[in-house]
Structures are given as structure tokens and as C-alpha cells.
Amino acid sequence: MSTIAIISSFADETQCAQAIEELRAAQVGDFNTFSPIPSHKIEHAIGRSKSPVRWLVLAGGISGVLTGLAITIGTTYEWRLNAGGRPLLSWPPFIIICFELMVLLGGIFGFFGVLMLSGVPTTAMAPGYNGRFGEDRFGIVVRCEEAEAARVESMLKESGAEEVVREDGAQPR
Amino acid sequence: MAAAPKIPVEPSYRDIDRSVLRVMEPAGLAYWAWIGLCFTLVAIAAGFWVRQIYSGLGVTGLRQPVMWAIYITNFVFWVGIAHSGTLISAILFLFRTKWRTAVYRAAETMTIFAVATAALYPLIHLGRVWFFYWLLPYPNQRYLQPDFRSPLVWDAFAVSTYLTISALFWTMGLIPDVANAREAASGWRKKFYTLLAMGWQGTDRQWRHYSMAYLLMAGLATPLVLSVHSVVSWDFAMAINPGWHSTIFAPYFVAGAIFSGVAMVITLLIPMRRLLGIEDLLTEWHFDNLAKVVLLTSLVVSYAYLTEAFMVWYAGDPIEQMTFHMRYFGPWGWMYWVMVSCNCVIPLLLFSPRIRVNMRALWVITIFVNIGMWFERFVIIAGSLTANFEPSQWAGYRPSITEIMITVGSFAWFLGLFSLFSRFLPIISMTELKEGIVWLRKALKMDRVKAA
């Protein structure tokens, strides 16, 4: 039995989310979606956990603070300057450097984390991708066994899909 | 450019895309003439800079004790201008402000180019520009590290972090929009947008990580924007110089930065919406809200001026009092009163709802604010240096042609870069406008009802 891809497009975000919920309840094949906007409804319907990019931002932030401490404390000990017997380490200015580096590395980790986790840059387009999905249509691409195709198609149509087409021989993601 | 067709009062996602992508079609001769003018002025300014590098800072008007004048004024002015972009893109994003979606990309773009302009000034101000890297944590040949107690080192960290984070935040927002442009474009433009979009397709997996990272980046940019201008203000406040050494400086500078930045956003957007034919996307509702931010920050800045004066009087330090007497009534007193008129008095007109949506009046008021805020920085920076502790050191300052031409060149540099961006990349975020389409429809309805 071969796997096929069924590509459907929706004009309405709510209908698309509803179709996703039905697909999940029916447990037929696996699917991915395309949307022109980041949709909370779709994200909620898919029901995945929160993105791990937040841990990368946290790791970046912590490494920024540690880098800040290392360069400020390290260079102070490298060149000990006795300023009227005051303590060697000047914490208030060091906090500024640590804060700036926390933001800098947190942001850099976040940005490159998104690229890495989202699989960009890439030259390969996901099966079923269509330019209109960036413009004004919400798309669901379902990969399922050929025997289940008719059932999936009718589910998608009943949920309000404008268009449902088959793309035979598509590779699973 | 021909008059843009009106978008329907109930626009669809497609109408939004078409209106924004239409701006990115090949430009006419007038546009290229404007770009040519801007970069000619930049080239002239670059010539003056080369002359200054060759001859030394003696070609400027900088003489003891006024060693910080127009260059540093311009630096603070441009860093300040940058702030409103991050305010609109990050802080108002966290507050879920409805009207920000149409204006944030232009404001953020202004931030990037304003910081890029500001970052030139510490370099231009260096006598030996080839040693600029001494401010970075890099030991020199005698193994001396920079002193992390110096506000100038904090400034190097703050401004470079700000430039990097704003550029990343801006790029992130651009990716989905550029992917949209990729689908509509042809020829070399398609290749260009395909490269920039990096293969973005708007899958659920991509949006999931994108939304989380965008929120976190906004969260990081929010304290950053407040810190950057605080650090810039400490360049002055950490010195014992009268007129500078004050604890009010950080909040005072941050409020001023947002005030001048939002005014600059309005100054740029009013002609831009007309020239690019995007009046339907930037409605009176957007300008009304921007004008309210200008009004609010103007009141904060006015309060800061009064507090500063009160503190000087209440503290009773005769030298500080003398400096402020000179600031108000000395040879440069007229600059102080220009500043007060432009920053405190003229913006009060924005209490009128009719003026807030009158584009001509609003444009003129924001130009006055820009002038006033430039003078504010000049009065604080150069003005405070003319009369120091020692009357024997008192001296004036007169800018040279080098400083004037480099200042003109920096405005041309900023405007040229902004104009280039506005025709080649989406100047309005299609993605975010679609997300908040309900609000755009409401704004359009209000506009059309008014017009009828």
C-alpha cells in the first residue's frame, strides 16, 4: 500500500483549525499546515508543546552574563588598579556589561535558534506548498495510506475546504 | 507614481498584499534622482571626513574646553531617533497595541538606519579613527584592556548590542513578508527575494518557533531600549561637569528619545504614505495614536525640564546655578528658548483631536519637535562645556564647515537608506497587518465615513 499526499486549502482560519482537530481525532496519517499568519487557532488545534527556542534564548542569556563576568573580572585581575583603596571589583558598571551581553547573546541564540529549528535556510519546498498559502489561504497537507484517502478527503471537504487534490507519490516529511 | 487604487473598506488578505507589493514595483526617474541627491551629499560629507582624518580634528570648531559639540549632539540625536522604532516594534507588541501593525516596520527600519547613522559619529569624532577598536574588549599592544568603569565603554557595548538586536528583530519580521514578495516577483527580483526569504514557507513548524522567538526577542528588546539611552545619558551624567552631573539624566534622556523618535516616524510617514500611495493602509487612526504618544512624551520632557531647574535651585550649588543661568540667559540662551518652544509649547496643539489628524499641521509640528530635540542635545552637550568651573577657561564654540557638511551628509545618508529600503523591501508588515485585519477594517470605515 503506498502513501499519498492530499492537499487542501481553506479560506477561513477557523475551518482549517476545525479540520485539523477532526484529523487528529480520526488519527489518519500525519499532516502539516501552511498559513499566511501565525495562527493561534491552528497552533492550538495541532496541540504541540511550546517551542524549545525559549531554552536556547535562556542558554544565550546565561552565557552572555557569564561572558560579561569573565571579561570584566578577568581584565580587572589582569591589571590590578588600586584606586584610593577602593574594592578592586566595581560591580555596578560590571552589571551593565553583563546585561548588554545577556541581551546580545540571548537575541543571537534566539534568532539562529529559530532558523535552525524551522529548517531554514533551505532550497527544498515542502510537498504541497503553494504561493497562495503565504497570501490568503490556509493549507493542510495530509499523508495517509491510499485506502484512507477517500475518508480524509470527505473530512476535509466537510470541514469547509475550498479545494482538495491528491498528489501521488509524495515523500513523507 | 500614479494614484493608488483605493482598497475596499472590508479588505481581504489579498488586498493588503497587493497594496504593499505594489510599492515594490520598479521606481521612476524622480525616485532615482532623489536617491542620487542623497548619496551625492553623502559623498561630499565623506570627502570632508577624509580631509579631517588627513589633517586632524583642527579642521573642526572643537577647541578646549568645548571638545564635545555637534558630532556628539548628532550621535545622541540619532540614537534617540532610533528608540521609537523599538518602542513601537517591541514594547507596543508586548502591550498588544492594535495600531502598531501598520507603522512598526517603517519605524523599525528607521531605527536600524538611525543607529547606523549614530554609530558613525563616535568614529568621525576620533582623531585617529583607525584605533576605534580600543573601545572593544581587546587588549592593545601593551596588554592594556579597556576600563569597564568608563561610560564610553558601556556605550560601545550598548550601542553595538542595540544595532545587532534591532537588526535581527527586524530581519526576523521581514522573513515571512519577503517570502510573500518572492511569490509575486519575477526576474532578478525573484532571485533576490528567494535568497532573503531563505526558503520560508509558513508551515506550522516554522510559525511555532517564530512566534515564540518573536515574543522573547520583544521581551529582550524592551529593557534594552531603556538601557541604551540611559547608558548614552551616563556618558554625561557620570562626569562631574556642571549641567551634566545629574541623576535625572537617564529617564530624562529616554523620554526625550521616544519623543523625538515618534516625531521622526510621523515626519517620515506623512510624505511616504502619499508618495508610495499607501494612504489606505496608514489611516488617520494611526496618526492620531502616534500624535498622542508625541503629546504624552512632550509633557514628560517638559516635566523633566522643570525638575532639572528645580533640582539646581534646591541643591544650592552656586556653580551649577551659574551654568543654568548661562543656559537660560547667556549668549546661547536663545537656543534654550527655541528648545522649550518646540518641545513644550508647540506640541500642546496636539491636545486638539482635529490637529492630530490634520496631516499638514501634524507634519509641521513634528518638524518643530525634531528641531527642538536637536537643540536640546546641543544645549546640554556643548552649552554645558562653554562655562566650566574655572572662569578663565570659559570659551565659545563655532562649528566649522566640516562639521556642518558631515551633519548634512548624515541626514542624507539616513534618508537615502530609508528611501532605498522603502521601494525594495516591504515597508509595511503584510503578516502583522493581516493578523490585525479587524482593526484595519475599523480604521478604514472611520476614514470613509469621515470622507463622506
PDB file of all heavy atoms in Angstrom, chain B residues 397-424:
ATOM      1  N   TYR B 397      32.073  78.447  21.062  1.00  0.00           N
ATOM      2  CA  TYR B 397      32.270  77.385  20.074  1.00  0.00           C
ATOM      3  C   TYR B 397      31.564  77.806  18.799  1.00  0.00           C
ATOM      4  O   TYR B 397      30.461  78.347  18.838  1.00  0.00           O
ATOM      5  CB  TYR B 397      31.690  76.059  20.594  1.00  0.00           C
ATOM      6  CG  TYR B 397      31.432  75.035  19.517  1.00  0.00           C
ATOM      7  CD1 TYR B 397      32.482  74.308  18.955  1.00  0.00           C
ATOM      8  CD2 TYR B 397      30.141  74.800  19.045  1.00  0.00           C
ATOM      9  CE1 TYR B 397      32.246  73.372  17.959  1.00  0.00           C
ATOM     10  CE2 TYR B 397      29.898  73.880  18.054  1.00  0.00           C
ATOM     11  CZ  TYR B 397      30.951  73.166  17.512  1.00  0.00           C
ATOM     12  OH  TYR B 397      30.724  72.249  16.520  1.00  0.00           O
ATOM     13  N   ARG B 398      32.229  77.584  17.679  1.00  0.00           N
ATOM     14  CA  ARG B 398      31.599  77.884  16.390  1.00  0.00           C
ATOM     15  C   ARG B 398      31.872  76.697  15.469  1.00  0.00           C
ATOM     16  O   ARG B 398      33.041  76.355  15.258  1.00  0.00           O
ATOM     17  CB  ARG B 398      32.222  79.170  15.817  1.00  0.00           C
ATOM     18  CG  ARG B 398      31.520  79.696  14.583  1.00  0.00           C
ATOM     19  CD  ARG B 398      32.148  81.014  14.168  1.00  0.00           C
ATOM     20  NE  ARG B 398      31.774  82.093  15.084  1.00  0.00           N
ATOM     21  CZ  ARG B 398      30.671  82.829  14.935  1.00  0.00           C
ATOM     22  NH1 ARG B 398      29.867  82.629  13.914  1.00  0.00           N
ATOM     23  NH2 ARG B 398      30.391  83.793  15.781  1.00  0.00           N
ATOM     24  N   PRO B 399      30.806  76.052  14.977  1.00  0.00           N
ATOM     25  CA  PRO B 399      31.055  74.879  14.129  1.00  0.00           C
ATOM     26  C   PRO B 399      31.739  75.265  12.827  1.00  0.00           C
ATOM     27  O   PRO B 399      31.474  76.335  12.277  1.00  0.00           O
ATOM     28  CB  PRO B 399      29.653  74.313  13.866  1.00  0.00           C
ATOM     29  CG  PRO B 399      28.723  75.427  14.117  1.00  0.00           C
ATOM     30  CD  PRO B 399      29.368  76.309  15.141  1.00  0.00           C
ATOM     31  N   SER B 400      32.601  74.372  12.338  1.00  0.00           N
ATOM     32  CA  SER B 400      33.286  74.649  11.068  1.00  0.00           C
ATOM     33  C   SER B 400      32.468  74.036   9.931  1.00  0.00           C
ATOM     34  O   SER B 400      31.525  73.279  10.162  1.00  0.00           O
ATOM     35  CB  SER B 400      34.678  74.041  11.085  1.00  0.00           C
ATOM     36  OG  SER B 400      34.566  72.641  10.942  1.00  0.00           O
ATOM     37  N   ILE B 401      32.861  74.350   8.708  1.00  0.00           N
ATOM     38  CA  ILE B 401      32.173  73.809   7.523  1.00  0.00           C
ATOM     39  C   ILE B 401      32.238  72.277   7.517  1.00  0.00           C
ATOM     40  O   ILE B 401      31.300  71.609   7.094  1.00  0.00           O
ATOM     41  CB  ILE B 401      32.763  74.439   6.225  1.00  0.00           C
ATOM     42  CG1 ILE B 401      32.016  73.964   4.976  1.00  0.00           C
ATOM     43  CG2 ILE B 401      34.240  74.135   6.055  1.00  0.00           C
ATOM     44  CD1 ILE B 401      30.711  74.628   4.761  1.00  0.00           C
ATOM     45  N   THR B 402      33.334  71.718   8.047  1.00  0.00           N
ATOM     46  CA  THR B 402      33.475  70.248   8.100  1.00  0.00           C
ATOM     47  C   THR B 402      32.338  69.644   8.909  1.00  0.00           C
ATOM     48  O   THR B 402      31.680  68.697   8.477  1.00  0.00           O
ATOM     49  CB  THR B 402      34.833  69.881   8.750  1.00  0.00           C
ATOM     50  OG1 THR B 402      35.853  70.584   8.063  1.00  0.00           O
ATOM     51  CG2 THR B 402      35.094  68.394   8.703  1.00  0.00           C
ATOM     52  N   GLU B 403      32.119  70.201  10.098  1.00  0.00           N
ATOM     53  CA  GLU B 403      31.065  69.650  10.959  1.00  0.00           C
ATOM     54  C   GLU B 403      29.683  69.832  10.327  1.00  0.00           C
ATOM     55  O   GLU B 403      28.845  68.930  10.388  1.00  0.00           O
ATOM     56  CB  GLU B 403      31.108  70.337  12.330  1.00  0.00           C
ATOM     57  CG  GLU B 403      32.271  69.866  13.181  1.00  0.00           C
ATOM     58  CD  GLU B 403      32.674  70.899  14.203  1.00  0.00           C
ATOM     59  OE1 GLU B 403      33.131  71.982  13.776  1.00  0.00           O
ATOM     60  OE2 GLU B 403      32.531  70.648  15.394  1.00  0.00           O
ATOM     61  N   ILE B 404      29.474  71.001   9.714  1.00  0.00           N
ATOM     62  CA  ILE B 404      28.161  71.262   9.108  1.00  0.00           C
ATOM     63  C   ILE B 404      27.913  70.299   7.942  1.00  0.00           C
ATOM     64  O   ILE B 404      26.851  69.678   7.844  1.00  0.00           O
ATOM     65  CB  ILE B 404      28.056  72.737   8.654  1.00  0.00           C
ATOM     66  CG1 ILE B 404      28.059  73.625   9.900  1.00  0.00           C
ATOM     67  CG2 ILE B 404      26.801  72.975   7.818  1.00  0.00           C
ATOM     68  CD1 ILE B 404      28.257  75.086   9.623  1.00  0.00           C
ATOM     69  N   MET B 405      28.918  70.123   7.090  1.00  0.00           N
ATOM     70  CA  MET B 405      28.729  69.260   5.916  1.00  0.00           C
ATOM     71  C   MET B 405      28.582  67.796   6.310  1.00  0.00           C
ATOM     72  O   MET B 405      27.810  67.050   5.707  1.00  0.00           O
ATOM     73  CB  MET B 405      29.892  69.424   4.925  1.00  0.00           C
ATOM     74  CG  MET B 405      29.875  70.730   4.157  1.00  0.00           C
ATOM     75  SD  MET B 405      28.266  71.194   3.502  1.00  0.00           S
ATOM     76  CE  MET B 405      27.998  69.917   2.305  1.00  0.00           C
ATOM     77  N   ILE B 406      29.309  67.376   7.343  1.00  0.00           N
ATOM     78  CA  ILE B 406      29.162  65.978   7.793  1.00  0.00           C
ATOM     79  C   ILE B 406      27.770  65.771   8.400  1.00  0.00           C
ATOM     80  O   ILE B 406      27.156  64.724   8.202  1.00  0.00           O
ATOM     81  CB  ILE B 406      30.310  65.591   8.760  1.00  0.00           C
ATOM     82  CG1 ILE B 406      31.606  65.449   7.940  1.00  0.00           C
ATOM     83  CG2 ILE B 406      30.009  64.300   9.502  1.00  0.00           C
ATOM     84  CD1 ILE B 406      32.835  65.084   8.722  1.00  0.00           C
ATOM     85  N   THR B 407      27.263  66.794   9.088  1.00  0.00           N
ATOM     86  CA  THR B 407      25.901  66.695   9.635  1.00  0.00           C
ATOM     87  C   THR B 407      24.880  66.585   8.500  1.00  0.00           C
ATOM     88  O   THR B 407      23.996  65.716   8.526  1.00  0.00           O
ATOM     89  CB  THR B 407      25.597  67.942  10.497  1.00  0.00           C
ATOM     90  OG1 THR B 407      26.575  68.009  11.514  1.00  0.00           O
ATOM     91  CG2 THR B 407      24.214  67.873  11.113  1.00  0.00           C
ATOM     92  N   VAL B 408      25.022  67.445   7.492  1.00  0.00           N
ATOM     93  CA  VAL B 408      24.108  67.391   6.343  1.00  0.00           C
ATOM     94  C   VAL B 408      24.212  66.008   5.682  1.00  0.00           C
ATOM     95  O   VAL B 408      23.213  65.365   5.355  1.00  0.00           O
ATOM     96  CB  VAL B 408      24.454  68.515   5.331  1.00  0.00           C
ATOM     97  CG1 VAL B 408      23.685  68.346   4.033  1.00  0.00           C
ATOM     98  CG2 VAL B 408      24.174  69.872   5.941  1.00  0.00           C
ATOM     99  N   GLY B 409      25.449  65.534   5.536  1.00  0.00           N
ATOM    100  CA  GLY B 409      25.678  64.229   4.914  1.00  0.00           C
ATOM    101  C   GLY B 409      25.034  63.103   5.697  1.00  0.00           C
ATOM    102  O   GLY B 409      24.522  62.150   5.115  1.00  0.00           O
ATOM    103  N   SER B 410      25.015  63.220   7.039  1.00  0.00           N
ATOM    104  CA  SER B 410      24.430  62.131   7.828  1.00  0.00           C
ATOM    105  C   SER B 410      22.910  62.099   7.664  1.00  0.00           C
ATOM    106  O   SER B 410      22.314  61.023   7.644  1.00  0.00           O
ATOM    107  CB  SER B 410      24.828  62.246   9.297  1.00  0.00           C
ATOM    108  OG  SER B 410      24.096  63.251   9.948  1.00  0.00           O
ATOM    109  N   PHE B 411      22.292  63.267   7.514  1.00  0.00           N
ATOM    110  CA  PHE B 411      20.842  63.288   7.253  1.00  0.00           C
ATOM    111  C   PHE B 411      20.573  62.666   5.880  1.00  0.00           C
ATOM    112  O   PHE B 411      19.619  61.909   5.714  1.00  0.00           O
ATOM    113  CB  PHE B 411      20.295  64.718   7.328  1.00  0.00           C
ATOM    114  CG  PHE B 411      19.951  65.136   8.729  1.00  0.00           C
ATOM    115  CD1 PHE B 411      20.912  65.664   9.571  1.00  0.00           C
ATOM    116  CD2 PHE B 411      18.661  64.978   9.216  1.00  0.00           C
ATOM    117  CE1 PHE B 411      20.614  66.025  10.873  1.00  0.00           C
ATOM    118  CE2 PHE B 411      18.347  65.342  10.527  1.00  0.00           C
ATOM    119  CZ  PHE B 411      19.328  65.872  11.347  1.00  0.00           C
ATOM    120  N   ALA B 412      21.426  62.989   4.898  1.00  0.00           N
ATOM    121  CA  ALA B 412      21.249  62.447   3.550  1.00  0.00           C
ATOM    122  C   ALA B 412      21.455  60.933   3.552  1.00  0.00           C
ATOM    123  O   ALA B 412      20.728  60.189   2.886  1.00  0.00           O
ATOM    124  CB  ALA B 412      22.234  63.112   2.597  1.00  0.00           C
ATOM    125  N   TRP B 413      22.423  60.489   4.315  1.00  0.00           N
ATOM    126  CA  TRP B 413      22.724  59.042   4.457  1.00  0.00           C
ATOM    127  C   TRP B 413      21.502  58.306   5.004  1.00  0.00           C
ATOM    128  O   TRP B 413      21.068  57.288   4.480  1.00  0.00           O
ATOM    129  CB  TRP B 413      23.946  58.936   5.381  1.00  0.00           C
ATOM    130  CG  TRP B 413      24.254  57.636   6.054  1.00  0.00           C
ATOM    131  CD1 TRP B 413      24.003  57.326   7.353  1.00  0.00           C
ATOM    132  CD2 TRP B 413      24.928  56.498   5.493  1.00  0.00           C
ATOM    133  NE1 TRP B 413      24.480  56.073   7.639  1.00  0.00           N
ATOM    134  CE2 TRP B 413      25.053  55.538   6.520  1.00  0.00           C
ATOM    135  CE3 TRP B 413      25.440  56.202   4.234  1.00  0.00           C
ATOM    136  CZ2 TRP B 413      25.655  54.304   6.333  1.00  0.00           C
ATOM    137  CZ3 TRP B 413      26.045  54.967   4.042  1.00  0.00           C
ATOM    138  CH2 TRP B 413      26.149  54.035   5.080  1.00  0.00           C
ATOM    139  N   PHE B 414      20.921  58.884   6.073  1.00  0.00           N
ATOM    140  CA  PHE B 414      19.746  58.276   6.705  1.00  0.00           C
ATOM    141  C   PHE B 414      18.555  58.258   5.734  1.00  0.00           C
ATOM    142  O   PHE B 414      17.924  57.217   5.522  1.00  0.00           O
ATOM    143  CB  PHE B 414      19.400  59.068   7.972  1.00  0.00           C
ATOM    144  CG  PHE B 414      18.077  58.699   8.579  1.00  0.00           C
ATOM    145  CD1 PHE B 414      17.946  57.552   9.340  1.00  0.00           C
ATOM    146  CD2 PHE B 414      16.954  59.497   8.381  1.00  0.00           C
ATOM    147  CE1 PHE B 414      16.733  57.201   9.884  1.00  0.00           C
ATOM    148  CE2 PHE B 414      15.737  59.151   8.929  1.00  0.00           C
ATOM    149  CZ  PHE B 414      15.617  58.001   9.686  1.00  0.00           C
ATOM    150  N   LEU B 415      18.288  59.406   5.119  1.00  0.00           N
ATOM    151  CA  LEU B 415      17.123  59.486   4.227  1.00  0.00           C
ATOM    152  C   LEU B 415      17.319  58.607   2.988  1.00  0.00           C
ATOM    153  O   LEU B 415      16.378  57.975   2.505  1.00  0.00           O
ATOM    154  CB  LEU B 415      16.857  60.937   3.811  1.00  0.00           C
ATOM    155  CG  LEU B 415      16.353  61.842   4.932  1.00  0.00           C
ATOM    156  CD1 LEU B 415      16.288  63.284   4.460  1.00  0.00           C
ATOM    157  CD2 LEU B 415      14.978  61.403   5.427  1.00  0.00           C
ATOM    158  N   GLY B 416      18.553  58.564   2.466  1.00  0.00           N
ATOM    159  CA  GLY B 416      18.837  57.744   1.289  1.00  0.00           C
ATOM    160  C   GLY B 416      18.630  56.274   1.574  1.00  0.00           C
ATOM    161  O   GLY B 416      17.976  55.555   0.799  1.00  0.00           O
ATOM    162  N   LEU B 417      19.148  55.809   2.719  1.00  0.00           N
ATOM    163  CA  LEU B 417      18.992  54.391   3.062  1.00  0.00           C
ATOM    164  C   LEU B 417      17.518  54.052   3.285  1.00  0.00           C
ATOM    165  O   LEU B 417      17.018  53.029   2.829  1.00  0.00           O
ATOM    166  CB  LEU B 417      19.791  54.053   4.328  1.00  0.00           C
ATOM    167  CG  LEU B 417      21.311  54.018   4.188  1.00  0.00           C
ATOM    168  CD1 LEU B 417      21.965  53.792   5.547  1.00  0.00           C
ATOM    169  CD2 LEU B 417      21.744  52.911   3.234  1.00  0.00           C
ATOM    170  N   PHE B 418      16.820  54.947   3.980  1.00  0.00           N
ATOM    171  CA  PHE B 418      15.399  54.702   4.259  1.00  0.00           C
ATOM    172  C   PHE B 418      14.601  54.661   2.953  1.00  0.00           C
ATOM    173  O   PHE B 418      13.739  53.802   2.764  1.00  0.00           O
ATOM    174  CB  PHE B 418      14.863  55.797   5.194  1.00  0.00           C
ATOM    175  CG  PHE B 418      13.476  55.515   5.703  1.00  0.00           C
ATOM    176  CD1 PHE B 418      13.282  54.715   6.812  1.00  0.00           C
ATOM    177  CD2 PHE B 418      12.363  56.039   5.055  1.00  0.00           C
ATOM    178  CE1 PHE B 418      12.010  54.432   7.266  1.00  0.00           C
ATOM    179  CE2 PHE B 418      11.084  55.756   5.507  1.00  0.00           C
ATOM    180  CZ  PHE B 418      10.912  54.958   6.623  1.00  0.00           C
ATOM    181  N   SER B 419      14.917  55.583   2.040  1.00  0.00           N
ATOM    182  CA  SER B 419      14.186  55.621   0.762  1.00  0.00           C
ATOM    183  C   SER B 419      14.488  54.373  -0.066  1.00  0.00           C
ATOM    184  O   SER B 419      13.596  53.825  -0.713  1.00  0.00           O
ATOM    185  CB  SER B 419      14.580  56.853  -0.045  1.00  0.00           C
ATOM    186  OG  SER B 419      14.465  57.997   0.727  1.00  0.00           O
ATOM    187  N   LEU B 420      15.740  53.928  -0.037  1.00  0.00           N
ATOM    188  CA  LEU B 420      16.080  52.715  -0.782  1.00  0.00           C
ATOM    189  C   LEU B 420      15.281  51.531  -0.248  1.00  0.00           C
ATOM    190  O   LEU B 420      14.705  50.758  -1.008  1.00  0.00           O
ATOM    191  CB  LEU B 420      17.572  52.400  -0.624  1.00  0.00           C
ATOM    192  CG  LEU B 420      18.525  52.969  -1.658  1.00  0.00           C
ATOM    193  CD1 LEU B 420      19.939  52.515  -1.347  1.00  0.00           C
ATOM    194  CD2 LEU B 420      18.156  52.542  -3.079  1.00  0.00           C
ATOM    195  N   PHE B 421      15.252  51.414   1.068  1.00  0.00           N
ATOM    196  CA  PHE B 421      14.523  50.296   1.676  1.00  0.00           C
ATOM    197  C   PHE B 421      13.051  50.319   1.291  1.00  0.00           C
ATOM    198  O   PHE B 421      12.464  49.294   0.954  1.00  0.00           O
ATOM    199  CB  PHE B 421      14.645  50.358   3.211  1.00  0.00           C
ATOM    200  CG  PHE B 421      13.841  49.287   3.899  1.00  0.00           C
ATOM    201  CD1 PHE B 421      14.411  48.053   4.173  1.00  0.00           C
ATOM    202  CD2 PHE B 421      12.513  49.490   4.244  1.00  0.00           C
ATOM    203  CE1 PHE B 421      13.660  47.054   4.781  1.00  0.00           C
ATOM    204  CE2 PHE B 421      11.763  48.502   4.840  1.00  0.00           C
ATOM    205  CZ  PHE B 421      12.339  47.279   5.112  1.00  0.00           C
ATOM    206  N   SER B 422      12.463  51.540   1.316  1.00  0.00           N
ATOM    207  CA  SER B 422      11.008  51.625   1.154  1.00  0.00           C
ATOM    208  C   SER B 422      10.536  51.112  -0.207  1.00  0.00           C
ATOM    209  O   SER B 422       9.378  50.754  -0.354  1.00  0.00           O
ATOM    210  CB  SER B 422      10.547  53.062   1.375  1.00  0.00           C
ATOM    211  OG  SER B 422      10.998  53.858   0.312  1.00  0.00           O
ATOM    212  N   ARG B 423      11.416  51.076  -1.214  1.00  0.00           N
ATOM    213  CA  ARG B 423      10.966  50.590  -2.517  1.00  0.00           C
ATOM    214  C   ARG B 423      11.418  49.168  -2.826  1.00  0.00           C
ATOM    215  O   ARG B 423      10.996  48.587  -3.823  1.00  0.00           O
ATOM    216  CB  ARG B 423      11.474  51.514  -3.645  1.00  0.00           C
ATOM    217  CG  ARG B 423      10.904  52.904  -3.636  1.00  0.00           C
ATOM    218  CD  ARG B 423       9.401  52.939  -3.717  1.00  0.00           C
ATOM    219  NE  ARG B 423       8.857  52.324  -4.903  1.00  0.00           N
ATOM    220  CZ  ARG B 423       8.462  52.972  -5.983  1.00  0.00           C
ATOM    221  NH1 ARG B 423       8.572  54.263  -6.041  1.00  0.00           N
ATOM    222  NH2 ARG B 423       7.938  52.325  -6.994  1.00  0.00           N
ATOM    223  N   PHE B 424      12.319  48.616  -2.032  1.00  0.00           N
ATOM    224  CA  PHE B 424      12.832  47.280  -2.352  1.00  0.00           C
ATOM    225  C   PHE B 424      12.387  46.204  -1.376  1.00  0.00           C
ATOM    226  O   PHE B 424      12.433  45.019  -1.690  1.00  0.00           O
ATOM    227  CB  PHE B 424      14.364  47.304  -2.438  1.00  0.00           C
ATOM    228  CG  PHE B 424      14.836  47.942  -3.704  1.00  0.00           C
ATOM    229  CD1 PHE B 424      15.138  49.281  -3.762  1.00  0.00           C
ATOM    230  CD2 PHE B 424      14.920  47.198  -4.872  1.00  0.00           C
ATOM    231  CE1 PHE B 424      15.535  49.884  -4.941  1.00  0.00           C
ATOM    232  CE2 PHE B 424      15.310  47.790  -6.059  1.00  0.00           C
ATOM    233  CZ  PHE B 424      15.617  49.133  -6.098  1.00  0.00           C
TER     234      PHE B 424
END
